[in-house]
Amino acid sequence: MDEMIYLAMTGARQTEYAQTINSNNLANVSTTGFRADLHSFSSIPIDGPGVDTRVNAVVDSYGTDLSQGVIMTTGRDLDVAVRGDGFLAVQASDGTEAYTRAGDLRVAAGGLLTTGSGHLVIGDGGPVAIPPNSSLLIGNDGTISVQPIGQGPETLAIVDRIKLVKPEQGQLEKGSDGLLHMIDGSEADADAQVGLTSGSLERSNVNVAKTLVNMIELARQYEMQINVIKSSEENADAAATMMRLG
């Protein structure tokens, strides 16, 4: 009886973990540039003495869905969307270089260019700094040009270029900060083939309908595993009653 309870308990715990991943995807359906996390169930035999009949259901996280989301036009000068494959280089909270598809850029205090979540955008020589200006333009190749305050359009000057990269998908993994990092800890090389679309943003690539259906399936699966635990308890009580009668 304890074997049945243990298996059902393990399955319920793993289903909760899968539901956490699924719920996180659904919560970020409106997050700019968000990449959905993927998971799957696998059967793992239990090692140890006794008959090899018990198998645990274990959730495996097998990476991130890097497919492109829907591009929407915003008309905002600081909004950019990566065309095709590729990423913007940003500085993670620990100072290392990381990558994102979120192009909702901002000019923070001190003129530093950041994403909407506050990560510094990396340029040719480190974090991008924007001088005071009356207008700003981000080119298709990531070049940032500004018109100085009090100057005419003919004084448009290039101040930096956003680092755009396109590493192989197998070289990237998503960190707990939501950013993509090189698995080996290195920094990806800039790729001139990666382009931007100004005045646009890429939405999350989460499939809402599929995620909702998956949430319902996981909830039913969890309920089934809890019912197995309850049935085991009822069977144990019934067996104990029969022994007392004997």
Side-chain angles (χ1 to χ4, degrees), residues 183-230:
I183 294 177
D184 60 4
S186 63
E187 295 182 359
D189 296 328
D191 193 324
Q193 296 182 351
V194 182
L196 300 177
T197 300
S198 299
S200 301
L201 286 176
E202 180 182 0
R203 302 185 64 180
S204 165
N205 68 349
V206 175
N207 186 319
V208 179
K210 181 179 179 180
T211 305
L212 285 172
V213 170
N214 195 33
M215 177 176 287
I216 295 172
E217 291 178 347
L218 289 171
R220 290 176 176 173
Q221 185 172 322
Y222 181 82
E223 182 180 2
M224 178 184 66
Q225 289 155 343
I226 295 301
N227 287 336
V228 170
I229 296 176
K230 291 180 179 179

